Amino acid sequence: MSLIWINGQWHDRDTATVSVFDHGLLYGDGVFDTSFARWGRIFKLDEHLDRLERSLRAVMLELPLSMAELRAATIETVARNGRPDAYIKIVVSRGVSAEPLMDP
């Protein structure tokens, strides 16, 4: 079973969902990072999170948690899934809003 962390909550692959009105889906309005774990250790996690943070600033997107909290959640996600070798995808979008168009 895969566990997925979305907005601070854990979901299995059958209950993990993103709204069809999410700006990341509708407009590609977001940022992402892909990293990997080998033997249970995430390769250059801090460097990946630094790059993610720079990307967030570049598109004026605020993360609703600290980078330290995101780091801890990433490590916990790998541990909870019990997969020593894994690809990790972090996706941050602007989410759902009443406005239909992108407006940073």
Side-chain angles (χ1 to χ4, degrees):
M1 176 172 72
S2 296
L3 289 174
I4 300 144
W5 192 75
I6 302 174
N7 296 329
Q9 296 182 345
W10 295 99
H11 301 271
D12 63 35
R13 67 182 318 139
D14 295 329
T15 63
T17 61
V18 175
S19 171
V20 296
F21 298 106
D22 187 281
H23 281 227
L25 177 65
L26 290 175
Y27 308 112
D29 185 15
V31 299
F32 69 91
D33 182 78
T34 304
S35 57
F36 70 93
R38 184 80 169 151
W39 299 300
R41 299 190 46 89
I42 302 170
F43 182 73
K44 295 192 176 189
L45 177 59
D46 292 329
E47 288 88 339
H48 280 273
L49 293 177
D50 288 345
R51 183 173 53 211
L52 182 76
E53 188 173 33
R54 288 192 306 271
S55 297
L56 290 166
R57 280 196 307 268
V59 298
M60 295 183 278
L61 205 162
E62 290 187 32
L63 194 61
L65 65 160
S66 71
M67 293 308 286
E69 290 169 318
L70 180 59
R71 184 181 194 282
T74 303
I75 293 168
E76 185 176 355
T77 300
V78 171
R80 280 188 180 219
N81 278 285
R83 295 183 179 166
D85 299 337
Y87 283 100
I88 303 148
K89 176 76 87 173
I90 298 173
V91 180
V92 182
S93 79
R94 209 167 302 276
V96 176
S97 74
E99 296 296 320
L101 300 174
M102 294 186 304
D103 183 7

XYZ file of all heavy atoms in Angstrom:
829
model
N 0.842 -1.188 0.000
C 0.000 0.000 0.000
C 0.883 1.246 0.000
O 1.875 1.302 0.704
C -0.903 -0.008 1.228
C -1.734 1.250 1.344
S -2.979 1.246 2.625
C -1.995 1.377 4.072
N 0.509 2.237 -0.773
C 1.226 3.509 -0.805
C 0.480 4.525 0.044
O -0.735 4.655 -0.056
C 1.320 4.028 -2.237
O 2.079 3.165 -3.032
N 1.224 5.257 0.868
C 0.653 6.350 1.638
C 1.090 7.665 1.024
O 2.262 7.843 0.674
C 1.103 6.277 3.093
C 0.493 5.137 3.895
C 1.114 5.074 5.281
C -1.011 5.312 4.009
N 0.141 8.582 0.899
C 0.380 9.860 0.251
C -0.013 10.964 1.225
O -1.075 10.893 1.852
C -0.446 9.955 -1.053
C -0.019 8.807 -1.989
C -0.275 11.302 -1.722
C -1.124 8.236 -2.787
N 0.838 11.972 1.334
C 0.598 13.083 2.252
C 0.077 14.261 1.444
O 0.769 14.775 0.556
C 1.908 13.438 2.947
C 1.804 14.348 4.103
C 1.358 14.042 5.357
C 2.188 15.731 4.152
N 1.446 15.137 6.163
C 1.959 16.193 5.453
C 2.709 16.605 3.206
C 2.225 17.494 5.844
C 2.976 17.896 3.594
C 2.734 18.329 4.895
N -1.180 14.664 1.695
C -1.789 15.794 0.986
C -2.316 16.773 2.019
O -3.181 16.423 2.838
C -2.947 15.345 0.061
C -2.471 14.334 -0.969
C -3.579 16.564 -0.622
C -3.599 13.748 -1.815
N -1.806 17.992 1.985
C -2.278 19.052 2.878
C -2.319 18.623 4.334
O -3.273 18.903 5.054
C -3.642 19.574 2.433
C -3.599 20.224 1.076
O -2.577 20.807 0.696
N -4.667 20.123 0.326
N -1.293 17.906 4.761
C -1.185 17.537 6.170
C -1.962 16.306 6.579
O -2.018 15.981 7.760
N -2.563 15.611 5.624
C -3.330 14.411 5.941
C -2.806 13.236 5.131
O -2.388 13.397 3.992
C -4.816 14.622 5.644
C -5.443 15.692 6.506
C -6.928 15.833 6.212
O -7.434 15.343 5.212
N -7.626 16.523 7.099
N -2.886 12.054 5.735
C -2.439 10.830 5.070
C -3.582 10.174 4.334
O -4.701 10.116 4.840
C -1.861 9.858 6.100
C -0.628 10.390 6.730
C -0.522 11.011 7.942
C 0.675 10.416 6.160
N 0.765 11.402 8.159
C 1.525 11.045 7.087
C 1.204 9.957 4.961
C 2.877 11.226 6.844
C 2.559 10.129 4.724
C 3.375 10.762 5.657
N -3.293 9.689 3.141
C -4.281 8.999 2.315
C -3.619 7.771 1.712
O -2.423 7.779 1.445
C -4.754 9.889 1.159
C -5.360 11.172 1.599
N -6.698 11.296 1.871
C -4.820 12.387 1.823
C -6.958 12.538 2.242
N -5.824 13.222 2.220
N -4.431 6.742 1.455
C -3.885 5.651 0.648
C -4.142 6.005 -0.809
O -4.823 6.980 -1.114
C -4.455 4.288 1.046
C -5.955 4.156 0.834
O -6.486 4.738 -0.139
O -6.598 3.453 1.615
N -3.608 5.218 -1.700
C -3.704 5.586 -3.117
C -5.139 5.630 -3.620
O -5.432 6.287 -4.603
C -2.816 4.695 -3.972
C -3.245 3.266 -4.042
C -2.297 2.377 -4.862
N -1.864 3.029 -6.065
C -0.623 2.975 -6.541
N 0.285 2.288 -5.921
N -0.314 3.588 -7.649
N -6.081 4.950 -2.953
C -7.477 4.950 -3.390
C -8.255 6.169 -2.904
O -9.303 6.487 -3.460
C -8.180 3.676 -2.920
C -7.609 2.428 -3.571
O -7.146 2.517 -4.725
O -7.608 1.369 -2.917
N -7.769 6.848 -1.858
C -8.499 8.009 -1.344
C -7.786 9.329 -1.613
O -8.328 10.389 -1.316
C -8.760 7.878 0.173
O -7.507 7.863 0.865
C -9.557 6.623 0.495
N -6.583 9.278 -2.163
C -5.831 10.499 -2.451
C -6.428 11.182 -3.673
O -6.502 10.592 -4.746
C -4.366 10.160 -2.696
N -6.878 12.417 -3.493
C -7.483 13.149 -4.605
C -7.039 14.610 -4.614
O -6.657 15.158 -3.591
C -9.030 13.128 -4.532
O -9.442 13.752 -3.313
C -9.571 11.715 -4.591
N -7.123 15.203 -5.779
C -6.898 16.630 -5.969
C -8.095 17.135 -6.762
O -8.529 16.495 -7.722
C -5.588 16.898 -6.740
C -5.421 18.370 -7.034
C -4.393 16.371 -5.963
N -8.623 18.284 -6.384
C -9.795 18.841 -7.062
C -9.519 19.110 -8.540
O -8.423 19.540 -8.912
C -10.196 20.158 -6.390
O -11.196 20.821 -7.148
N -10.522 18.889 -9.375
C -10.385 19.218 -10.797
C -10.313 20.733 -10.998
O -9.979 21.194 -12.089
C -11.534 18.626 -11.653
C -11.504 17.114 -11.606
C -12.885 19.168 -11.218
N -10.604 21.506 -9.957
C -10.521 22.963 -10.028
C -9.209 23.500 -9.456
O -9.021 24.704 -9.355
C -11.714 23.600 -9.312
C -13.017 23.243 -9.946
C -13.873 22.334 -9.335
C -13.387 23.775 -11.174
C -15.076 21.978 -9.937
C -14.580 23.426 -11.781
C -15.424 22.527 -11.158
N -8.306 22.621 -9.086
C -7.004 23.031 -8.563
C -6.224 23.739 -9.667
O -6.154 23.253 -10.799
C -6.237 21.798 -8.072
C -4.967 22.183 -7.362
O -3.974 22.505 -8.063
O -4.953 22.164 -6.125
N -5.637 24.868 -9.349
C -4.906 25.652 -10.348
C -3.687 24.914 -10.895
O -3.261 25.167 -12.022
C -4.497 27.003 -9.769
C -5.620 27.983 -9.760
N -5.477 29.272 -10.207
C -6.905 27.866 -9.374
C -6.636 29.921 -10.093
N -7.516 29.082 -9.586
N -3.135 24.006 -10.111
C -2.029 23.199 -10.626
C -2.474 22.318 -11.774
O -1.763 22.145 -12.762
N -3.679 21.770 -11.666
C -4.227 20.917 -12.717
C -4.735 21.743 -13.900
O -4.453 21.436 -15.054
C -5.369 20.065 -12.151
C -6.092 19.163 -13.129
C -5.151 18.085 -13.656
C -7.298 18.529 -12.470
N -5.463 22.815 -13.602
C -6.060 23.615 -14.675
C -5.040 24.416 -15.482
O -5.164 24.529 -16.701
C -7.095 24.589 -14.089
C -8.375 23.974 -13.545
C -9.232 25.051 -12.897
C -9.151 23.284 -14.656
N -4.043 24.988 -14.783
C -3.156 25.936 -15.442
C -1.665 25.582 -15.325
O -0.822 26.328 -15.813
C -3.350 27.339 -14.860
C -4.775 27.786 -14.838
C -5.461 27.947 -13.631
C -5.463 28.045 -16.018
C -6.775 28.358 -13.604
C -6.785 28.459 -15.998
C -7.433 28.603 -14.787
O -8.738 29.013 -14.763
N -1.358 24.504 -14.640
C 0.046 24.210 -14.383
C 0.651 25.220 -13.426
O 1.850 25.484 -13.451
N -0.199 25.814 -12.585
C 0.196 26.887 -11.683
C 0.726 26.288 -10.383
O 0.006 26.119 -9.411
C -1.015 27.790 -11.406
C -0.671 29.002 -10.574
O 0.520 29.323 -10.442
O -1.613 29.638 -10.061
N 1.994 25.948 -10.395
C 2.608 25.368 -9.216
C 4.040 25.002 -9.505
O 4.583 25.308 -10.579
N 4.663 24.364 -8.561
C 6.031 23.892 -8.724
C 6.116 22.465 -8.209
O 5.253 22.020 -7.434
C 7.055 24.799 -8.000
C 7.027 26.215 -8.548
C 6.803 24.818 -6.512
N 7.147 21.761 -8.641
C 7.330 20.397 -8.160
C 8.809 20.084 -8.071
O 9.653 20.782 -8.644
C 6.636 19.392 -9.086
C 7.272 19.262 -10.434
C 8.268 18.321 -10.665
C 6.881 20.077 -11.476
C 8.856 18.200 -11.913
C 7.465 19.971 -12.730
C 8.460 19.030 -12.945
N 9.099 19.045 -7.340
C 10.454 18.539 -7.251
C 10.391 17.028 -7.177
O 9.491 16.465 -6.550
C 11.172 19.076 -6.010
C 12.602 18.594 -5.951
O 13.440 19.150 -6.682
O 12.882 17.635 -5.205
N 11.317 16.375 -7.842
C 11.409 14.920 -7.794
C 12.779 14.548 -7.257
O 13.793 15.048 -7.738
C 11.222 14.312 -9.198
O 9.977 14.762 -9.731
C 11.226 12.798 -9.135
N 12.781 13.703 -6.254
C 14.035 13.212 -5.698
C 13.905 11.706 -5.511
O 12.903 11.108 -5.920
C 14.353 13.919 -4.374
O 13.300 13.752 -3.454
N 14.884 11.101 -4.891
C 14.790 9.669 -4.673
C 15.474 9.274 -3.369
O 16.320 9.996 -2.845
C 15.373 8.874 -5.845
C 16.877 8.959 -5.976
C 17.691 8.005 -5.392
C 17.451 9.990 -6.692
C 19.067 8.083 -5.521
C 18.831 10.069 -6.832
C 19.649 9.115 -6.242
N 15.034 8.140 -2.874
C 15.650 7.544 -1.693
C 16.333 6.259 -2.119
O 15.828 5.523 -2.971
C 14.594 7.249 -0.635
N 17.464 6.018 -1.534
C 18.202 4.781 -1.777
C 18.618 4.261 -0.410
O 19.174 5.008 0.391
C 19.425 5.096 -2.639
C 20.214 3.912 -3.043
C 19.548 3.226 -4.210
N 20.473 2.241 -4.748
C 20.086 1.145 -5.347
N 18.809 0.912 -5.516
N 20.957 0.294 -5.798
N 18.306 3.008 -0.151
C 18.577 2.390 1.140
C 17.988 3.212 2.295
O 18.577 3.333 3.365
C 20.075 2.165 1.346
C 20.669 1.258 0.327
C 20.323 -0.033 0.070
C 21.693 1.580 -0.599
N 21.072 -0.533 -0.962
C 21.932 0.437 -1.396
C 22.442 2.732 -0.850
C 22.873 0.412 -2.402
C 23.383 2.683 -1.859
C 23.588 1.540 -2.615
N 16.833 3.827 2.052
C 16.128 4.579 3.086
C 16.622 5.986 3.323
O 16.092 6.696 4.171
N 17.620 6.420 2.576
C 18.148 7.778 2.733
C 17.793 8.607 1.506
O 18.014 8.173 0.382
C 19.656 7.737 2.948
C 20.015 6.966 4.224
C 21.453 7.074 4.628
N 22.013 8.410 4.605
C 21.988 9.272 5.621
N 21.402 8.940 6.744
N 22.550 10.455 5.511
N 17.262 9.791 1.742
C 16.842 10.651 0.637
C 18.065 11.425 0.130
O 18.727 12.135 0.891
C 15.724 11.608 1.066
C 14.530 10.798 1.585
C 15.309 12.500 -0.103
C 13.468 11.627 2.255
N 18.337 11.264 -1.153
C 19.520 11.863 -1.769
C 19.386 13.381 -1.833
O 18.456 13.918 -2.433
C 19.715 11.293 -3.177
C 20.926 11.802 -3.885
C 22.188 11.380 -3.509
C 20.801 12.713 -4.919
C 23.325 11.846 -4.164
C 21.930 13.190 -5.576
C 23.193 12.760 -5.199
N 20.301 14.082 -1.182
C 20.398 15.546 -1.218
C 19.055 16.231 -0.952
O 18.676 17.187 -1.645
C 21.010 16.019 -2.540
C 22.447 15.570 -2.709
C 23.129 16.266 -3.860
C 24.590 15.852 -3.903
N 25.346 16.649 -4.860
N 18.356 15.785 0.073
C 17.032 16.339 0.390
C 17.092 17.846 0.615
O 16.255 18.588 0.095
C 16.424 15.632 1.599
C 15.074 16.176 2.072
C 14.027 16.108 0.966
C 14.614 15.427 3.314
N 18.063 18.310 1.386
C 18.129 19.750 1.670
C 18.325 20.571 0.402
O 17.715 21.631 0.243
C 19.219 20.050 2.695
C 18.875 19.496 4.072
O 17.675 19.422 4.407
O 19.809 19.129 4.807
N 19.143 20.075 -0.516
C 19.355 20.785 -1.773
C 18.074 20.799 -2.611
O 17.742 21.817 -3.239
C 20.495 20.154 -2.576
C 21.864 20.406 -1.985
C 22.302 19.359 -0.949
O 21.436 18.658 -0.371
O 23.516 19.252 -0.716
N 17.348 19.698 -2.616
C 16.075 19.648 -3.345
C 15.073 20.634 -2.745
O 14.378 21.349 -3.485
C 15.492 18.233 -3.318
C 16.113 17.325 -4.320
N 15.651 17.227 -5.613
C 17.168 16.478 -4.226
C 16.394 16.353 -6.274
N 17.328 15.885 -5.456
N 15.012 20.696 -1.417
C 14.069 21.614 -0.780
C 14.483 23.064 -0.983
O 13.623 23.944 -1.129
C 13.923 21.278 0.702
C 13.256 19.935 0.992
C 13.233 19.662 2.491
C 11.853 19.863 0.405
N 15.779 23.342 -1.003
C 16.241 24.711 -1.297
C 15.796 25.134 -2.694
O 15.328 26.261 -2.901
C 17.766 24.802 -1.207
C 18.288 24.735 0.219
O 17.486 24.896 1.166
O 19.504 24.494 0.384
N 15.945 24.230 -3.661
C 15.531 24.536 -5.034
C 14.017 24.729 -5.110
O 13.528 25.650 -5.767
C 15.976 23.428 -5.985
C 15.621 23.733 -7.428
C 16.182 22.738 -8.399
N 15.824 21.372 -8.033
C 16.579 20.315 -8.277
N 17.745 20.440 -8.870
N 16.181 19.119 -7.937
N 13.265 23.888 -4.395
C 11.814 24.033 -4.362
C 11.428 25.398 -3.782
O 10.563 26.097 -4.322
C 11.179 22.912 -3.532
C 9.668 22.938 -3.456
C 9.058 22.436 -4.760
C 9.175 22.087 -2.292
N 12.104 25.790 -2.716
C 11.822 27.088 -2.093
C 12.111 28.241 -3.049
O 11.336 29.200 -3.142
C 12.640 27.228 -0.808
C 12.281 28.444 0.014
C 12.983 28.451 1.351
O 14.128 27.962 1.451
O 12.377 28.962 2.306
N 13.199 28.163 -3.790
C 13.498 29.205 -4.792
C 12.424 29.249 -5.872
O 12.000 30.331 -6.314
C 14.872 28.965 -5.415
C 16.037 29.263 -4.503
C 17.379 29.284 -5.242
N 17.642 28.081 -6.013
C 18.243 26.985 -5.551
N 18.623 26.927 -4.286
N 18.476 25.957 -6.344
N 11.967 28.094 -6.305
C 10.912 28.035 -7.323
C 9.611 28.632 -6.796
O 8.908 29.347 -7.529
C 10.685 26.588 -7.760
O 11.829 26.064 -8.374
N 9.286 28.355 -5.548
C 8.079 28.926 -4.941
C 8.154 30.448 -4.928
O 7.176 31.134 -5.261
C 7.886 28.394 -3.520
C 7.487 26.928 -3.403
C 7.652 26.431 -1.966
C 6.061 26.717 -3.876
N 9.307 30.984 -4.551
C 9.481 32.442 -4.546
C 9.357 33.013 -5.954
O 8.767 34.075 -6.158
C 10.830 32.818 -3.950
C 10.858 32.813 -2.433
C 12.064 33.542 -1.866
N 13.331 33.086 -2.396
C 14.097 32.135 -1.864
N 13.716 31.528 -0.765
N 15.245 31.798 -2.416
N 9.899 32.297 -6.941
C 9.890 32.795 -8.329
C 8.476 32.954 -8.866
O 8.219 33.856 -9.664
C 10.691 31.857 -9.234
N 7.546 32.085 -8.434
C 6.159 32.193 -8.914
C 5.240 32.794 -7.850
O 4.022 32.759 -7.983
C 5.613 30.828 -9.402
C 6.415 30.316 -10.572
C 5.532 29.811 -8.282
N 5.851 33.352 -6.793
C 5.109 34.011 -5.707
C 4.035 33.098 -5.112
O 2.879 33.480 -4.965
C 4.511 35.334 -6.186
C 5.561 36.353 -6.551
S 4.882 37.945 -7.027
C 4.451 37.619 -8.739
N 4.436 31.896 -4.791
C 3.527 30.917 -4.204
C 3.996 30.632 -2.781
O 5.162 30.315 -2.553
C 3.557 29.632 -5.047
C 2.349 28.726 -5.001
C 2.380 27.778 -6.186
C 2.202 27.978 -3.734
N 3.093 30.789 -1.821
C 3.450 30.577 -0.421
C 3.106 29.163 0.003
O 2.009 28.673 -0.251
C 2.721 31.578 0.473
C 3.233 32.990 0.317
C 2.624 33.932 1.338
O 2.322 33.478 2.467
O 2.456 35.106 1.000
N 4.038 28.532 0.668
C 3.835 27.199 1.212
C 3.132 27.346 2.559
O 3.537 28.176 3.373
C 5.200 26.520 1.376
C 5.251 25.042 1.610
C 4.633 24.291 0.429
C 6.688 24.591 1.791
N 2.058 26.579 2.811
C 1.316 26.743 4.063
C 1.983 26.082 5.276
O 1.367 25.945 6.312
C -0.032 26.076 3.751
C 0.291 25.061 2.718
C 1.419 25.650 1.908
N 3.242 25.674 5.125
C 4.003 25.124 6.241
C 5.457 25.510 6.037
O 5.847 25.977 4.968
C 3.850 23.603 6.319
C 4.391 22.752 5.179
C 4.584 21.329 5.673
C 3.436 22.727 4.024
N 6.236 25.335 7.071
C 7.650 25.704 6.971
C 8.403 24.650 6.173
O 7.945 23.509 6.020
C 8.256 25.831 8.372
O 8.381 24.542 8.962
N 9.565 25.021 5.687
C 10.396 24.060 4.963
C 10.837 22.939 5.901
O 10.979 21.792 5.472
C 11.597 24.756 4.321
C 11.218 25.714 3.197
S 10.164 25.004 1.905
C 11.326 23.991 1.036
N 11.023 23.246 7.176
C 11.386 22.209 8.149
C 10.242 21.195 8.290
O 10.487 19.985 8.385
C 11.721 22.826 9.500
N 9.005 21.690 8.294
C 7.852 20.788 8.369
C 7.733 19.952 7.094
O 7.419 18.758 7.160
C 6.566 21.579 8.600
C 6.482 22.198 9.977
C 5.345 23.192 10.116
O 5.119 23.992 9.181
O 4.684 23.169 11.173
N 8.001 20.555 5.943
C 7.960 19.808 4.688
C 9.065 18.752 4.664
O 8.849 17.622 4.220
C 8.095 20.746 3.486
C 8.073 20.074 2.119
C 6.768 19.293 1.912
C 8.255 21.112 1.020
N 10.226 19.104 5.164
C 11.338 18.151 5.241
C 10.938 16.950 6.101
O 11.132 15.796 5.711
C 12.570 18.847 5.814
C 13.804 17.985 5.860
C 14.984 18.772 6.478
N 16.236 18.097 6.237
C 16.657 17.037 6.920
N 15.906 16.516 7.884
N 17.823 16.478 6.629
N 10.368 17.236 7.276
C 9.954 16.158 8.182
C 8.871 15.292 7.538
O 8.898 14.059 7.651
C 9.460 16.747 9.501
N 7.923 15.915 6.846
C 6.845 15.163 6.182
C 7.396 14.287 5.069
O 6.928 13.169 4.858
C 5.799 16.127 5.636
N 8.402 14.774 4.354
C 9.014 14.000 3.278
C 9.708 12.764 3.844
O 9.529 11.647 3.345
C 10.013 14.866 2.490
O 9.327 16.023 1.990
C 10.628 14.104 1.341
N 10.465 12.960 4.892
C 11.158 11.840 5.543
C 10.147 10.840 6.097
O 10.299 9.625 5.928
C 12.103 12.358 6.640
C 13.243 13.152 6.002
C 12.624 11.210 7.506
C 14.069 13.955 6.986
N 9.093 11.342 6.732
C 8.067 10.459 7.289
C 7.333 9.685 6.193
O 6.991 8.514 6.367
C 7.066 11.262 8.126
C 6.058 10.377 8.819
C 5.101 11.120 9.735
O 5.258 12.349 9.920
O 4.185 10.463 10.260
N 7.093 10.329 5.061
C 6.412 9.651 3.961
C 7.228 8.454 3.473
O 6.692 7.367 3.266
C 6.151 10.625 2.798
O 5.332 11.704 3.277
C 5.446 9.948 1.642
N 8.525 8.659 3.306
C 9.386 7.555 2.880
C 9.371 6.449 3.931
O 9.224 5.263 3.603
C 10.818 8.056 2.598
C 11.772 6.886 2.375
C 10.822 8.984 1.394
N 9.478 6.817 5.201
C 9.496 5.814 6.277
C 8.177 5.055 6.359
O 8.160 3.822 6.475
C 9.802 6.502 7.611
N 7.060 5.762 6.298
C 5.744 5.112 6.404
C 5.477 4.144 5.258
O 4.755 3.175 5.420
C 4.627 6.146 6.429
C 4.420 6.789 7.764
C 3.161 7.631 7.712
N 2.919 8.274 8.971
C 1.704 8.423 9.492
N 0.646 7.979 8.851
N 1.554 9.035 10.636
N 6.028 4.438 4.110
C 5.806 3.562 2.962
C 6.704 2.334 3.000
O 6.483 1.398 2.230
C 5.968 4.336 1.658
C 4.711 5.095 1.305
O 3.740 4.495 0.859
N 4.704 6.405 1.528
N 7.682 2.334 3.873
C 8.526 1.163 4.035
C 9.285 0.757 2.791
O 9.566 -0.422 2.579
N 9.603 1.743 1.976
C 10.338 1.465 0.741
C 11.710 2.120 0.829
O 11.823 3.344 0.710
C 9.577 2.013 -0.464
C 8.263 1.303 -0.649
C 7.563 1.780 -1.869
N 6.313 1.044 -1.999
C 5.360 1.400 -2.798
N 5.493 2.463 -3.560
N 4.255 0.687 -2.857
N 12.750 1.333 1.010
C 14.075 1.943 1.122
C 14.533 2.607 -0.178
O 15.322 3.542 -0.142
C 14.975 0.778 1.506
C 14.234 -0.442 1.088
C 12.771 -0.105 1.151
N 14.026 2.143 -1.310
C 14.342 2.749 -2.605
C 13.046 3.297 -3.188
O 12.098 2.543 -3.411
C 14.938 1.713 -3.566
C 16.238 1.121 -3.038
O 16.901 1.766 -2.198
O 16.586 0.015 -3.466
N 12.996 4.608 -3.410
C 11.738 5.206 -3.865
C 11.994 6.525 -4.588
O 12.965 7.225 -4.297
C 10.823 5.467 -2.666
N 11.100 6.846 -5.520
C 11.056 8.181 -6.090
C 10.091 8.998 -5.247
O 9.064 8.498 -4.801
C 10.579 8.161 -7.544
C 11.648 7.715 -8.497
C 11.681 6.422 -8.980
C 12.648 8.606 -8.898
C 12.678 6.004 -9.838
C 13.650 8.198 -9.764
C 13.655 6.899 -10.226
O 14.649 6.494 -11.062
N 10.416 10.271 -5.053
C 9.611 11.159 -4.214
C 9.230 12.362 -5.059
O 10.095 13.049 -5.618
C 10.417 11.616 -2.991
C 10.891 10.402 -2.197
C 9.600 12.562 -2.135
C 12.206 10.618 -1.505
N 7.947 12.623 -5.161
C 7.465 13.773 -5.928
C 6.772 14.712 -4.951
O 5.806 14.333 -4.283
C 6.490 13.325 -7.007
C 5.859 14.446 -7.798
C 6.793 15.039 -8.807
C 6.723 14.272 -10.099
N 7.496 14.914 -11.159
N 7.262 15.938 -4.856
C 6.615 16.984 -4.066
C 5.986 17.943 -5.060
O 6.656 18.469 -5.947
C 7.621 17.733 -3.173
C 8.259 16.775 -2.175
C 6.927 18.893 -2.459
C 9.390 17.393 -1.373
N 4.678 18.162 -4.918
C 3.940 19.057 -5.809
C 3.257 20.114 -4.951
O 2.555 19.786 -4.001
C 2.876 18.288 -6.631
C 2.123 19.242 -7.547
C 3.515 17.153 -7.420
N 3.479 21.379 -5.289
C 2.839 22.490 -4.590
C 2.099 23.301 -5.637
O 2.688 23.754 -6.616
C 3.863 23.398 -3.870
C 3.148 24.508 -3.107
C 4.762 22.589 -2.949
N 0.789 23.473 -5.437
C 0.013 24.292 -6.375
C -0.634 25.438 -5.612
O -0.638 25.465 -4.382
C -1.059 23.451 -7.066
O -2.158 23.263 -6.216
N -1.210 26.354 -6.356
C -1.909 27.470 -5.731
C -3.255 27.026 -5.166
O -3.893 27.729 -4.415
C -2.089 28.602 -6.748
C -2.122 29.964 -6.099
C -1.972 31.084 -7.109
N -0.760 31.030 -7.891
C 0.430 31.511 -7.511
N 0.549 32.071 -6.341
N 1.475 31.419 -8.302
N -3.678 25.824 -5.539
C -4.912 25.265 -4.976
C -6.150 25.751 -5.706
O -6.095 26.269 -6.817
N -7.272 25.582 -5.063
C -8.569 25.975 -5.611
C -8.879 27.388 -5.133
O -8.687 27.709 -3.972
C -9.678 25.008 -5.136
C -11.041 25.457 -5.625
C -9.374 23.593 -5.585
N -9.343 28.232 -6.034
C -9.763 29.580 -5.638
C -10.995 29.987 -6.434
O -11.330 29.365 -7.439
C -8.631 30.586 -5.860
O -8.471 30.848 -7.239
N -11.638 31.037 -5.992
C -12.827 31.538 -6.674
C -12.478 32.164 -8.020
O -13.319 32.240 -8.908
C -13.542 32.559 -5.784
N -11.227 32.612 -8.149
C -10.794 33.243 -9.383
C -10.463 32.185 -10.420
O -9.692 31.284 -10.160
C -9.566 34.132 -9.130
C -9.841 35.285 -8.207
C -10.845 36.264 -8.772
O -10.792 36.555 -9.978
O -11.679 36.747 -7.994
N -11.012 32.300 -11.632
C -10.759 31.282 -12.646
C -9.402 31.398 -13.341
O -8.980 30.496 -13.995
C -11.882 31.495 -13.655
C -12.230 32.932 -13.513
C -11.992 33.268 -12.058
N -8.741 32.541 -13.201
C -7.477 32.735 -13.910
C -6.320 32.830 -12.927
O -6.503 33.178 -11.767
C -7.550 34.016 -14.748
C -8.645 34.042 -15.791
C -8.701 35.410 -16.452
C -8.452 32.937 -16.825
N -5.120 32.581 -13.418
C -3.943 32.702 -12.578
C -3.706 34.177 -12.249
O -3.804 35.035 -13.093
C -2.708 32.159 -13.294
C -2.774 30.676 -13.531
S -1.239 30.032 -14.213
C -1.007 30.991 -15.675
N -3.411 34.424 -10.986
C -3.084 35.780 -10.558
C -2.216 35.677 -9.310
O -2.722 35.526 -8.218
C -4.353 36.569 -10.252
C -4.047 37.998 -9.882
O -2.871 38.427 -9.982
O -4.971 38.699 -9.466
N -0.896 35.750 -9.497
C -0.032 35.607 -8.321
C -0.240 36.732 -7.343
O 0.012 36.632 -6.205
C 1.387 35.645 -8.898
C 1.278 35.845 -10.338
C -0.160 35.904 -10.720
